[in-house]
Amino acid sequence: EDQVTQSPEALRLQEGESSSLNCSYTVSGLRGLFWYRQDPGKGPEFLFTLYSAGEEKEKERLKATLTKKESFLHITAPKPEDSATYLCAVQDNQGGKLIFGQGTELSVKP
Amino acid sequence: ETGVTQTPRHLVMGMTNKKSLKCEQHLGHNAMYWYKQSAKKPLELMFVYNFKEQTENNSVPSRFSPECPNSSHLFLHLHTLQPEDSALYLCASSLRGYEQYFGPGTRLTVT
């Protein structure tokens, strides 16, 4: 059964304190791994898609990486506006539904 | 309008009411989805439509009834809901099943 586990559940950082969020997954055959950002009371905002182990993508202070078992979302020198819940999801190679993790709630204090 | 829009943004309804949620996508996508998001739980897929045809019903109770008249519009008809159905209902769309783009959601409260 496809499964996604994100850790930690919550992360508190000081502004400028870099860290990483983890997304561990099991899937029969990976078509894609997706990262989203969700602000309170809003819909998830698409960030990245990773397709194969070794792939990396960057956007501003965020960098996503992928191995055969997990993905990391690295946040470099975060700012308070990076505070949000970050969601990870996987899709199998049958092009089926996305399986979401429970998210990591990130709080960045000035 | 751009992206995926949802109306209403907030809805309070009694257990005997009938209401509908509306979703519209302006991205030229061909697949649309309904998700339920409850506090501290992963997003739960409810329904999938590809080219207006329902391709997935994730064991959703019959008090939720989807309708997809065309590739740009999706509705979720609600009747005789229960308090545990209170949640954020999210609509999403994608092109051929790739990245899904979400709307802002409808916050539903069942009293």
Side-chain angles (χ1 to χ4, degrees), chain A residues 31 34-36 43-49 51 89-91 95-100, chain B residues 4 27 29 31-35 43 45 47-48 50 56 90-103:
Chain A
R31 187 191 198 195
F34 306 88
W35 282 99
Y36 289 85
E45 173 190 349
F46 171 74
L47 293 174
F48 305 109
T49 306
Y51 293 104
V90 297
Q91 184 181 44
K97 61 185 180 182
L98 296 188
I99 305 297
F100 280 85
Chain B
V4 180
L27 300 169
H29 290 168
M32 298 188 76
Y33 312 79
W34 279 117
Y35 286 87
L43 270 74
L45 180 66
F47 302 103
V48 181
N50 281 291
E56 184 142 359
L90 292 161
C91 174
S93 69
S94 73
L95 185 63
R96 295 189 297 276
Y98 285 98
E99 297 89 9
Q100 293 182 20
Y101 290 83
F102 287 82

mmCIF file of all heavy atoms in Angstrom, chain A residues 31 34-36 43-49 51 89-91 95-100, chain B residues 4 27 29 31-35 43 45 47-48 50 56 90-103:
data_model
loop_
_atom_site.group_PDB
_atom_site.id
_atom_site.type_symbol
_atom_site.label_atom_id
_atom_site.label_comp_id
_atom_site.label_asym_id
_atom_site.label_seq_id
_atom_site.Cartn_x
_atom_site.Cartn_y
_atom_site.Cartn_z
ATOM 1 N N ARG A 31 5.714 7.735 -9.975
ATOM 2 C CA ARG A 31 5.573 8.601 -11.158
ATOM 3 C C ARG A 31 6.067 9.997 -10.827
ATOM 4 O O ARG A 31 6.695 10.644 -11.647
ATOM 5 C CB ARG A 31 4.118 8.667 -11.601
ATOM 6 C CG ARG A 31 3.924 9.427 -12.925
ATOM 7 C CD ARG A 31 2.468 9.686 -13.188
ATOM 8 N NE ARG A 31 2.216 10.024 -14.598
ATOM 9 C CZ ARG A 31 1.084 10.573 -15.032
ATOM 10 N NH1 ARG A 31 0.115 10.842 -14.203
ATOM 11 N NH2 ARG A 31 0.923 10.844 -16.313
ATOM 12 N N PHE A 34 5.457 15.267 -5.075
ATOM 13 C CA PHE A 34 5.030 16.661 -5.138
ATOM 14 C C PHE A 34 5.163 17.319 -3.777
ATOM 15 O O PHE A 34 4.834 16.725 -2.751
ATOM 16 C CB PHE A 34 3.562 16.743 -5.587
ATOM 17 C CG PHE A 34 3.288 16.027 -6.874
ATOM 18 C CD1 PHE A 34 2.966 14.679 -6.875
ATOM 19 C CD2 PHE A 34 3.357 16.688 -8.082
ATOM 20 C CE1 PHE A 34 2.709 13.996 -8.054
ATOM 21 C CE2 PHE A 34 3.103 16.019 -9.267
ATOM 22 C CZ PHE A 34 2.789 14.678 -9.254
ATOM 23 N N TRP A 35 5.617 18.577 -3.770
ATOM 24 C CA TRP A 35 5.625 19.400 -2.570
ATOM 25 C C TRP A 35 4.657 20.561 -2.764
ATOM 26 O O TRP A 35 4.622 21.198 -3.822
ATOM 27 C CB TRP A 35 7.014 19.957 -2.284
ATOM 28 C CG TRP A 35 7.956 18.977 -1.663
ATOM 29 C CD1 TRP A 35 8.927 18.240 -2.275
ATOM 30 C CD2 TRP A 35 8.036 18.632 -0.265
ATOM 31 N NE1 TRP A 35 9.591 17.458 -1.369
ATOM 32 C CE2 TRP A 35 9.066 17.687 -0.117
ATOM 33 C CE3 TRP A 35 7.331 19.034 0.879
ATOM 34 C CZ2 TRP A 35 9.416 17.126 1.116
ATOM 35 C CZ3 TRP A 35 7.675 18.483 2.102
ATOM 36 C CH2 TRP A 35 8.702 17.547 2.218
ATOM 37 N N TYR A 36 3.888 20.807 -1.689
ATOM 38 C CA TYR A 36 2.942 21.919 -1.668
ATOM 39 C C TYR A 36 3.158 22.732 -0.403
ATOM 40 O O TYR A 36 3.586 22.202 0.623
ATOM 41 C CB TYR A 36 1.494 21.416 -1.662
ATOM 42 C CG TYR A 36 1.010 20.808 -2.953
ATOM 43 C CD1 TYR A 36 1.240 19.471 -3.255
ATOM 44 C CD2 TYR A 36 0.292 21.574 -3.877
ATOM 45 C CE1 TYR A 36 0.783 18.906 -4.438
ATOM 46 C CE2 TYR A 36 -0.177 21.018 -5.064
ATOM 47 C CZ TYR A 36 0.073 19.688 -5.330
ATOM 48 O OH TYR A 36 -0.396 19.146 -6.505
ATOM 49 N N GLY A 43 -6.087 26.898 0.125
ATOM 50 C CA GLY A 43 -5.746 25.672 -0.565
ATOM 51 C C GLY A 43 -4.252 25.517 -0.727
ATOM 52 O O GLY A 43 -3.501 26.487 -0.688
ATOM 53 N N PRO A 44 -3.788 24.276 -0.892
ATOM 54 C CA PRO A 44 -2.355 24.042 -1.109
ATOM 55 C C PRO A 44 -1.866 24.728 -2.381
ATOM 56 O O PRO A 44 -2.555 24.735 -3.392
ATOM 57 C CB PRO A 44 -2.267 22.515 -1.235
ATOM 58 C CG PRO A 44 -3.479 22.001 -0.515
ATOM 59 C CD PRO A 44 -4.540 23.015 -0.781
ATOM 60 N N GLU A 45 -0.644 25.259 -2.296
ATOM 61 C CA GLU A 45 -0.002 25.933 -3.427
ATOM 62 C C GLU A 45 1.122 25.043 -3.929
ATOM 63 O O GLU A 45 2.016 24.665 -3.175
ATOM 64 C CB GLU A 45 0.553 27.286 -2.982
ATOM 65 C CG GLU A 45 1.379 28.009 -4.031
ATOM 66 C CD GLU A 45 2.097 29.220 -3.471
ATOM 67 O OE1 GLU A 45 1.788 29.620 -2.325
ATOM 68 O OE2 GLU A 45 2.971 29.771 -4.162
ATOM 69 N N PHE A 46 1.097 24.700 -5.208
ATOM 70 C CA PHE A 46 2.098 23.809 -5.784
ATOM 71 C C PHE A 46 3.483 24.452 -5.740
ATOM 72 O O PHE A 46 3.659 25.614 -6.086
ATOM 73 C CB PHE A 46 1.721 23.474 -7.229
ATOM 74 C CG PHE A 46 2.786 22.746 -7.977
ATOM 75 C CD1 PHE A 46 3.043 21.410 -7.715
ATOM 76 C CD2 PHE A 46 3.538 23.390 -8.940
ATOM 77 C CE1 PHE A 46 4.035 20.732 -8.402
ATOM 78 C CE2 PHE A 46 4.527 22.725 -9.624
ATOM 79 C CZ PHE A 46 4.783 21.404 -9.361
ATOM 80 N N LEU A 47 4.476 23.645 -5.299
ATOM 81 C CA LEU A 47 5.865 24.111 -5.261
ATOM 82 C C LEU A 47 6.743 23.378 -6.282
ATOM 83 O O LEU A 47 7.358 23.991 -7.142
ATOM 84 C CB LEU A 47 6.448 23.907 -3.861
ATOM 85 C CG LEU A 47 5.855 24.747 -2.726
ATOM 86 C CD1 LEU A 47 6.444 24.311 -1.387
ATOM 87 C CD2 LEU A 47 6.108 26.223 -2.967
ATOM 88 N N PHE A 48 6.846 22.045 -6.129
ATOM 89 C CA PHE A 48 7.781 21.268 -6.949
ATOM 90 C C PHE A 48 7.195 19.909 -7.308
ATOM 91 O O PHE A 48 6.401 19.359 -6.571
ATOM 92 C CB PHE A 48 9.074 20.962 -6.169
ATOM 93 C CG PHE A 48 9.800 22.136 -5.604
ATOM 94 C CD1 PHE A 48 9.815 22.365 -4.237
ATOM 95 C CD2 PHE A 48 10.490 23.005 -6.425
ATOM 96 C CE1 PHE A 48 10.498 23.440 -3.703
ATOM 97 C CE2 PHE A 48 11.170 24.084 -5.904
ATOM 98 C CZ PHE A 48 11.173 24.299 -4.534
ATOM 99 N N THR A 49 7.699 19.371 -8.430
ATOM 100 C CA THR A 49 7.534 17.966 -8.753
ATOM 101 C C THR A 49 8.926 17.373 -8.967
ATOM 102 O O THR A 49 9.761 17.958 -9.662
ATOM 103 C CB THR A 49 6.736 17.744 -10.052
ATOM 104 O OG1 THR A 49 5.501 18.436 -9.973
ATOM 105 C CG2 THR A 49 6.468 16.262 -10.259
ATOM 106 N N TYR A 51 10.798 13.675 -10.146
ATOM 107 C CA TYR A 51 10.414 12.460 -10.854
ATOM 108 C C TYR A 51 11.343 11.277 -10.603
ATOM 109 O O TYR A 51 10.913 10.119 -10.686
ATOM 110 C CB TYR A 51 10.350 12.731 -12.355
ATOM 111 C CG TYR A 51 9.250 13.681 -12.756
ATOM 112 C CD1 TYR A 51 9.523 15.008 -13.090
ATOM 113 C CD2 TYR A 51 7.926 13.249 -12.800
ATOM 114 C CE1 TYR A 51 8.500 15.875 -13.450
ATOM 115 C CE2 TYR A 51 6.905 14.117 -13.166
ATOM 116 C CZ TYR A 51 7.202 15.428 -13.491
ATOM 117 O OH TYR A 51 6.180 16.290 -13.862
ATOM 118 N N ALA A 89 3.345 14.702 -1.341
ATOM 119 C CA ALA A 89 2.432 13.710 -1.908
ATOM 120 C C ALA A 89 3.172 12.900 -2.964
ATOM 121 O O ALA A 89 4.079 13.401 -3.628
ATOM 122 C CB ALA A 89 1.214 14.381 -2.533
ATOM 123 N N VAL A 90 2.761 11.631 -3.124
ATOM 124 C CA VAL A 90 3.351 10.785 -4.159
ATOM 125 C C VAL A 90 2.253 10.278 -5.081
ATOM 126 O O VAL A 90 1.090 10.151 -4.692
ATOM 127 C CB VAL A 90 4.125 9.588 -3.574
ATOM 128 C CG1 VAL A 90 5.305 10.062 -2.741
ATOM 129 C CG2 VAL A 90 3.217 8.683 -2.768
ATOM 130 N N GLN A 91 2.654 9.987 -6.305
ATOM 131 C CA GLN A 91 1.745 9.427 -7.297
ATOM 132 C C GLN A 91 2.426 8.213 -7.909
ATOM 133 O O GLN A 91 3.602 8.274 -8.275
ATOM 134 C CB GLN A 91 1.441 10.453 -8.377
ATOM 135 C CG GLN A 91 0.428 9.989 -9.414
ATOM 136 C CD GLN A 91 0.179 11.047 -10.475
ATOM 137 O OE1 GLN A 91 1.118 11.665 -10.971
ATOM 138 N NE2 GLN A 91 -1.084 11.269 -10.826
ATOM 139 N N GLY A 95 -0.393 6.481 -12.817
ATOM 140 C CA GLY A 95 -1.025 7.786 -12.980
ATOM 141 C C GLY A 95 -2.215 7.988 -12.087
ATOM 142 O O GLY A 95 -3.120 8.742 -12.400
ATOM 143 N N GLY A 96 -2.197 7.262 -10.965
ATOM 144 C CA GLY A 96 -3.337 7.283 -10.074
ATOM 145 C C GLY A 96 -3.364 8.477 -9.142
ATOM 146 O O GLY A 96 -2.731 9.495 -9.354
ATOM 147 N N LYS A 97 -4.099 8.306 -8.087
ATOM 148 C CA LYS A 97 -4.347 9.420 -7.175
ATOM 149 C C LYS A 97 -3.090 9.793 -6.407
ATOM 150 O O LYS A 97 -2.153 9.006 -6.262
ATOM 151 C CB LYS A 97 -5.453 9.041 -6.200
ATOM 152 C CG LYS A 97 -5.136 7.842 -5.318
ATOM 153 C CD LYS A 97 -6.334 7.464 -4.478
ATOM 154 C CE LYS A 97 -6.046 6.274 -3.600
ATOM 155 N NZ LYS A 97 -7.227 5.868 -2.806
ATOM 156 N N LEU A 98 -3.073 11.026 -5.905
ATOM 157 C CA LEU A 98 -2.004 11.478 -5.037
ATOM 158 C C LEU A 98 -2.259 10.978 -3.625
ATOM 159 O O LEU A 98 -3.383 11.058 -3.127
ATOM 160 C CB LEU A 98 -1.935 13.008 -5.017
ATOM 161 C CG LEU A 98 -1.595 13.731 -6.312
ATOM 162 C CD1 LEU A 98 -1.387 15.211 -6.037
ATOM 163 C CD2 LEU A 98 -0.377 13.140 -6.973
ATOM 164 N N ILE A 99 -1.217 10.476 -2.979
ATOM 165 C CA ILE A 99 -1.273 10.094 -1.578
ATOM 166 C C ILE A 99 -0.512 11.149 -0.799
ATOM 167 O O ILE A 99 0.694 11.332 -1.019
ATOM 168 C CB ILE A 99 -0.650 8.714 -1.334
ATOM 169 C CG1 ILE A 99 -1.297 7.660 -2.236
ATOM 170 C CG2 ILE A 99 -0.757 8.341 0.139
ATOM 171 C CD1 ILE A 99 -2.767 7.453 -1.987
ATOM 172 N N PHE A 100 -1.213 11.840 0.093
ATOM 173 C CA PHE A 100 -0.617 12.937 0.839
ATOM 174 C C PHE A 100 -0.129 12.482 2.206
ATOM 175 O O PHE A 100 -0.732 11.599 2.844
ATOM 176 C CB PHE A 100 -1.632 14.060 1.043
ATOM 177 C CG PHE A 100 -1.803 14.947 -0.152
ATOM 178 C CD1 PHE A 100 -2.678 14.611 -1.169
ATOM 179 C CD2 PHE A 100 -1.080 16.128 -0.260
ATOM 180 C CE1 PHE A 100 -2.841 15.424 -2.281
ATOM 181 C CE2 PHE A 100 -1.235 16.948 -1.361
ATOM 182 C CZ PHE A 100 -2.116 16.593 -2.367
ATOM 183 N N VAL B 4 -7.907 28.199 -10.091
ATOM 184 C CA VAL B 4 -9.069 27.425 -9.672
ATOM 185 C C VAL B 4 -9.850 28.243 -8.647
ATOM 186 O O VAL B 4 -9.271 28.699 -7.666
ATOM 187 C CB VAL B 4 -8.651 26.078 -9.053
ATOM 188 C CG1 VAL B 4 -9.876 25.274 -8.629
ATOM 189 C CG2 VAL B 4 -7.793 25.284 -10.029
ATOM 190 N N LEU B 27 -7.637 26.841 -16.260
ATOM 191 C CA LEU B 27 -6.284 26.434 -16.640
ATOM 192 C C LEU B 27 -6.247 25.540 -17.870
ATOM 193 O O LEU B 27 -5.173 25.090 -18.263
ATOM 194 C CB LEU B 27 -5.626 25.703 -15.445
ATOM 195 C CG LEU B 27 -5.504 26.536 -14.173
ATOM 196 C CD1 LEU B 27 -5.099 25.661 -12.984
ATOM 197 C CD2 LEU B 27 -4.477 27.643 -14.373
ATOM 198 N N HIS B 29 -7.350 22.509 -17.990
ATOM 199 C CA HIS B 29 -7.083 21.141 -17.550
ATOM 200 C C HIS B 29 -8.227 20.210 -17.926
ATOM 201 O O HIS B 29 -9.333 20.651 -18.257
ATOM 202 C CB HIS B 29 -6.860 21.112 -16.032
ATOM 203 C CG HIS B 29 -5.571 21.750 -15.620
ATOM 204 N ND1 HIS B 29 -5.274 22.044 -14.305
ATOM 205 C CD2 HIS B 29 -4.487 22.137 -16.336
ATOM 206 C CE1 HIS B 29 -4.074 22.577 -14.232
ATOM 207 N NE2 HIS B 29 -3.587 22.655 -15.461
ATOM 208 N N ALA B 31 -8.805 17.177 -15.929
ATOM 209 C CA ALA B 31 -9.165 16.350 -14.779
ATOM 210 C C ALA B 31 -9.472 17.257 -13.596
ATOM 211 O O ALA B 31 -8.814 18.281 -13.397
ATOM 212 C CB ALA B 31 -8.028 15.397 -14.417
ATOM 213 N N MET B 32 -10.488 16.878 -12.815
ATOM 214 C CA MET B 32 -10.874 17.661 -11.647
ATOM 215 C C MET B 32 -11.128 16.732 -10.471
ATOM 216 O O MET B 32 -11.530 15.574 -10.655
ATOM 217 C CB MET B 32 -12.114 18.518 -11.950
ATOM 218 C CG MET B 32 -11.867 19.544 -13.055
ATOM 219 S SD MET B 32 -13.219 20.707 -13.271
ATOM 220 C CE MET B 32 -12.970 21.811 -11.859
ATOM 221 N N TYR B 33 -10.900 17.254 -9.269
ATOM 222 C CA TYR B 33 -10.897 16.446 -8.058
ATOM 223 C C TYR B 33 -11.613 17.174 -6.923
ATOM 224 O O TYR B 33 -11.538 18.394 -6.822
ATOM 225 C CB TYR B 33 -9.455 16.187 -7.592
ATOM 226 C CG TYR B 33 -8.501 15.714 -8.664
ATOM 227 C CD1 TYR B 33 -7.941 16.615 -9.568
ATOM 228 C CD2 TYR B 33 -8.118 14.378 -8.751
ATOM 229 C CE1 TYR B 33 -7.058 16.193 -10.544
ATOM 230 C CE2 TYR B 33 -7.227 13.947 -9.731
ATOM 231 C CZ TYR B 33 -6.706 14.872 -10.615
ATOM 232 O OH TYR B 33 -5.820 14.447 -11.587
ATOM 233 N N TRP B 34 -12.231 16.392 -6.050
ATOM 234 C CA TRP B 34 -12.715 16.891 -4.764
ATOM 235 C C TRP B 34 -11.944 16.202 -3.665
ATOM 236 O O TRP B 34 -11.810 14.968 -3.669
ATOM 237 C CB TRP B 34 -14.201 16.611 -4.552
ATOM 238 C CG TRP B 34 -15.142 17.566 -5.219
ATOM 239 C CD1 TRP B 34 -16.044 17.273 -6.187
ATOM 240 C CD2 TRP B 34 -15.300 18.967 -4.949
ATOM 241 N NE1 TRP B 34 -16.750 18.398 -6.552
ATOM 242 C CE2 TRP B 34 -16.316 19.457 -5.798
ATOM 243 C CE3 TRP B 34 -14.684 19.865 -4.069
ATOM 244 C CZ2 TRP B 34 -16.732 20.783 -5.810
ATOM 245 C CZ3 TRP B 34 -15.094 21.188 -4.080
ATOM 246 C CH2 TRP B 34 -16.106 21.638 -4.931
ATOM 247 N N TYR B 35 -11.455 17.019 -2.696
ATOM 248 C CA TYR B 35 -10.773 16.520 -1.520
ATOM 249 C C TYR B 35 -11.478 17.047 -0.269
ATOM 250 O O TYR B 35 -12.035 18.136 -0.273
ATOM 251 C CB TYR B 35 -9.323 17.022 -1.453
ATOM 252 C CG TYR B 35 -8.362 16.385 -2.401
ATOM 253 C CD1 TYR B 35 -8.199 16.879 -3.693
ATOM 254 C CD2 TYR B 35 -7.575 15.309 -1.999
ATOM 255 C CE1 TYR B 35 -7.285 16.310 -4.557
ATOM 256 C CE2 TYR B 35 -6.656 14.731 -2.861
ATOM 257 C CZ TYR B 35 -6.515 15.235 -4.136
ATOM 258 O OH TYR B 35 -5.611 14.674 -4.998
ATOM 259 N N LEU B 43 -4.939 15.078 3.457
ATOM 260 C CA LEU B 43 -6.018 15.298 2.496
ATOM 261 C C LEU B 43 -6.611 13.961 2.070
ATOM 262 O O LEU B 43 -5.885 13.008 1.772
ATOM 263 C CB LEU B 43 -5.496 16.010 1.252
ATOM 264 C CG LEU B 43 -5.511 17.525 1.241
ATOM 265 C CD1 LEU B 43 -4.410 18.069 2.141
ATOM 266 C CD2 LEU B 43 -5.354 18.055 -0.169
ATOM 267 N N LEU B 45 -8.857 12.120 -0.731
ATOM 268 C CA LEU B 45 -9.476 12.214 -2.046
ATOM 269 C C LEU B 45 -10.893 11.677 -1.985
ATOM 270 O O LEU B 45 -11.137 10.607 -1.424
ATOM 271 C CB LEU B 45 -8.663 11.416 -3.061
ATOM 272 C CG LEU B 45 -9.189 11.407 -4.481
ATOM 273 C CD1 LEU B 45 -9.120 12.789 -5.102
ATOM 274 C CD2 LEU B 45 -8.417 10.397 -5.326
ATOM 275 N N PHE B 47 -13.471 12.357 -4.973
ATOM 276 C CA PHE B 47 -13.907 12.030 -6.336
ATOM 277 C C PHE B 47 -12.890 12.531 -7.351
ATOM 278 O O PHE B 47 -12.225 13.544 -7.129
ATOM 279 C CB PHE B 47 -15.259 12.693 -6.656
ATOM 280 C CG PHE B 47 -16.376 12.321 -5.731
ATOM 281 C CD1 PHE B 47 -16.793 13.189 -4.742
ATOM 282 C CD2 PHE B 47 -17.017 11.089 -5.868
ATOM 283 C CE1 PHE B 47 -17.830 12.855 -3.890
ATOM 284 C CE2 PHE B 47 -18.057 10.743 -5.015
ATOM 285 C CZ PHE B 47 -18.464 11.630 -4.019
ATOM 286 N N VAL B 48 -12.828 11.804 -8.488
ATOM 287 C CA VAL B 48 -11.985 12.203 -9.607
ATOM 288 C C VAL B 48 -12.819 12.183 -10.874
ATOM 289 O O VAL B 48 -13.562 11.209 -11.111
ATOM 290 C CB VAL B 48 -10.776 11.267 -9.784
ATOM 291 C CG1 VAL B 48 -9.915 11.737 -10.954
ATOM 292 C CG2 VAL B 48 -9.956 11.198 -8.514
ATOM 293 N N ASN B 50 -12.244 12.651 -15.081
ATOM 294 C CA ASN B 50 -11.375 12.826 -16.237
ATOM 295 C C ASN B 50 -12.258 13.031 -17.456
ATOM 296 O O ASN B 50 -13.101 12.180 -17.761
ATOM 297 C CB ASN B 50 -10.478 11.601 -16.452
ATOM 298 C CG ASN B 50 -9.304 11.584 -15.516
ATOM 299 O OD1 ASN B 50 -8.398 12.408 -15.615
ATOM 300 N ND2 ASN B 50 -9.314 10.666 -14.575
ATOM 301 N N GLU B 56 -13.109 7.862 -10.225
ATOM 302 C CA GLU B 56 -12.828 7.379 -8.884
ATOM 303 C C GLU B 56 -13.852 7.933 -7.906
ATOM 304 O O GLU B 56 -14.192 9.106 -7.942
ATOM 305 C CB GLU B 56 -11.428 7.782 -8.438
ATOM 306 C CG GLU B 56 -11.035 7.213 -7.086
ATOM 307 C CD GLU B 56 -9.589 6.797 -7.018
ATOM 308 O OE1 GLU B 56 -8.860 6.919 -8.006
ATOM 309 O OE2 GLU B 56 -9.168 6.327 -5.939
ATOM 310 N N LEU B 90 -11.783 20.979 -0.730
ATOM 311 C CA LEU B 90 -10.876 21.524 -1.725
ATOM 312 C C LEU B 90 -11.142 20.918 -3.086
ATOM 313 O O LEU B 90 -11.332 19.709 -3.217
ATOM 314 C CB LEU B 90 -9.425 21.242 -1.331
ATOM 315 C CG LEU B 90 -8.918 21.967 -0.096
ATOM 316 C CD1 LEU B 90 -7.681 21.277 0.461
ATOM 317 C CD2 LEU B 90 -8.607 23.412 -0.425
ATOM 318 N N CYS B 91 -11.119 21.761 -4.087
ATOM 319 C CA CYS B 91 -11.212 21.340 -5.474
ATOM 320 C C CYS B 91 -9.829 21.501 -6.099
ATOM 321 O O CYS B 91 -9.076 22.425 -5.744
ATOM 322 C CB CYS B 91 -12.224 22.207 -6.203
ATOM 323 S SG CYS B 91 -12.330 21.935 -7.973
ATOM 324 N N ALA B 92 -9.488 20.606 -7.001
ATOM 325 C CA ALA B 92 -8.204 20.701 -7.702
ATOM 326 C C ALA B 92 -8.405 20.304 -9.154
ATOM 327 O O ALA B 92 -9.394 19.635 -9.506
ATOM 328 C CB ALA B 92 -7.158 19.808 -7.046
ATOM 329 N N SER B 93 -7.468 20.712 -10.000
ATOM 330 C CA SER B 93 -7.499 20.284 -11.396
ATOM 331 C C SER B 93 -6.086 19.952 -11.846
ATOM 332 O O SER B 93 -5.100 20.399 -11.244
ATOM 333 C CB SER B 93 -8.104 21.371 -12.290
ATOM 334 O OG SER B 93 -7.246 22.488 -12.391
ATOM 335 N N SER B 94 -5.997 19.149 -12.891
ATOM 336 C CA SER B 94 -4.691 18.803 -13.447
ATOM 337 C C SER B 94 -4.827 18.550 -14.944
ATOM 338 O O SER B 94 -5.929 18.347 -15.469
ATOM 339 C CB SER B 94 -4.110 17.565 -12.757
ATOM 340 O OG SER B 94 -4.805 16.398 -13.163
ATOM 341 N N LEU B 95 -3.669 18.555 -15.600
ATOM 342 C CA LEU B 95 -3.625 18.234 -17.018
ATOM 343 C C LEU B 95 -3.084 16.818 -17.160
ATOM 344 O O LEU B 95 -1.937 16.545 -16.803
ATOM 345 C CB LEU B 95 -2.732 19.224 -17.762
ATOM 346 C CG LEU B 95 -2.685 19.078 -19.282
ATOM 347 C CD1 LEU B 95 -4.064 19.330 -19.881
ATOM 348 C CD2 LEU B 95 -1.665 20.048 -19.870
ATOM 349 N N ARG B 96 -3.908 15.930 -17.595
ATOM 350 C CA ARG B 96 -3.534 14.524 -17.803
ATOM 351 C C ARG B 96 -2.934 13.889 -16.555
ATOM 352 O O ARG B 96 -2.040 13.063 -16.638
ATOM 353 C CB ARG B 96 -2.572 14.388 -18.980
ATOM 354 C CG ARG B 96 -3.188 14.767 -20.321
ATOM 355 C CD ARG B 96 -2.251 14.398 -21.458
ATOM 356 N NE ARG B 96 -0.990 15.124 -21.401
ATOM 357 C CZ ARG B 96 -0.816 16.337 -21.889
ATOM 358 N NH1 ARG B 96 -1.820 16.957 -22.480
ATOM 359 N NH2 ARG B 96 0.343 16.936 -21.803
ATOM 360 N N GLY B 97 -3.414 14.288 -15.387
ATOM 361 C CA GLY B 97 -3.030 13.625 -14.148
ATOM 362 C C GLY B 97 -1.700 14.034 -13.564
ATOM 363 O O GLY B 97 -1.206 13.385 -12.641
ATOM 364 N N TYR B 98 -1.099 15.105 -14.075
ATOM 365 C CA TYR B 98 0.152 15.571 -13.498
ATOM 366 C C TYR B 98 -0.116 16.503 -12.321
ATOM 367 O O TYR B 98 -1.078 16.289 -11.577
ATOM 368 C CB TYR B 98 1.025 16.207 -14.586
ATOM 369 C CG TYR B 98 1.652 15.174 -15.489
ATOM 370 C CD1 TYR B 98 1.087 14.865 -16.731
ATOM 371 C CD2 TYR B 98 2.798 14.475 -15.096
ATOM 372 C CE1 TYR B 98 1.645 13.903 -17.544
ATOM 373 C CE2 TYR B 98 3.355 13.507 -15.913
ATOM 374 C CZ TYR B 98 2.778 13.227 -17.127
ATOM 375 O OH TYR B 98 3.318 12.268 -17.927
ATOM 376 N N GLU B 99 0.719 17.533 -12.142
ATOM 377 C CA GLU B 99 0.573 18.383 -10.956
ATOM 378 C C GLU B 99 -0.873 18.853 -10.794
ATOM 379 O O GLU B 99 -1.493 19.296 -11.755
ATOM 380 C CB GLU B 99 1.463 19.626 -11.052
ATOM 381 C CG GLU B 99 2.928 19.367 -11.103
ATOM 382 C CD GLU B 99 3.441 19.188 -12.510
ATOM 383 O OE1 GLU B 99 2.678 19.431 -13.458
ATOM 384 O OE2 GLU B 99 4.624 18.810 -12.640
ATOM 385 N N GLN B 100 -1.365 18.781 -9.563
ATOM 386 C CA GLN B 100 -2.706 19.256 -9.280
ATOM 387 C C GLN B 100 -2.623 20.666 -8.710
ATOM 388 O O GLN B 100 -1.787 20.955 -7.853
ATOM 389 C CB GLN B 100 -3.397 18.324 -8.282
ATOM 390 C CG GLN B 100 -3.665 16.951 -8.881
ATOM 391 C CD GLN B 100 -4.394 16.017 -7.935
ATOM 392 O OE1 GLN B 100 -5.025 16.454 -6.968
ATOM 393 N NE2 GLN B 100 -4.338 14.729 -8.227
ATOM 394 N N TYR B 101 -3.523 21.512 -9.198
ATOM 395 C CA TYR B 101 -3.603 22.889 -8.723
ATOM 396 C C TYR B 101 -4.910 23.052 -7.961
ATOM 397 O O TYR B 101 -5.981 22.680 -8.463
ATOM 398 C CB TYR B 101 -3.510 23.869 -9.890
ATOM 399 C CG TYR B 101 -2.126 23.885 -10.499
ATOM 400 C CD1 TYR B 101 -1.763 22.922 -11.447
ATOM 401 C CD2 TYR B 101 -1.180 24.808 -10.107
ATOM 402 C CE1 TYR B 101 -0.484 22.903 -11.987
ATOM 403 C CE2 TYR B 101 0.099 24.806 -10.654
ATOM 404 C CZ TYR B 101 0.439 23.845 -11.589
ATOM 405 O OH TYR B 101 1.707 23.824 -12.121
ATOM 406 N N PHE B 102 -4.799 23.579 -6.759
ATOM 407 C CA PHE B 102 -5.935 23.627 -5.845
ATOM 408 C C PHE B 102 -6.604 24.995 -5.824
ATOM 409 O O PHE B 102 -5.954 26.030 -6.018
ATOM 410 C CB PHE B 102 -5.482 23.297 -4.425
ATOM 411 C CG PHE B 102 -5.170 21.848 -4.218
ATOM 412 C CD1 PHE B 102 -3.948 21.319 -4.583
ATOM 413 C CD2 PHE B 102 -6.116 20.995 -3.652
ATOM 414 C CE1 PHE B 102 -3.662 19.972 -4.397
ATOM 415 C CE2 PHE B 102 -5.841 19.650 -3.456
ATOM 416 C CZ PHE B 102 -4.620 19.134 -3.830
ATOM 417 N N GLY B 103 -7.893 24.970 -5.536
ATOM 418 C CA GLY B 103 -8.628 26.189 -5.245
ATOM 419 C C GLY B 103 -8.460 26.578 -3.791
ATOM 420 O O GLY B 103 -7.794 25.875 -3.020
#
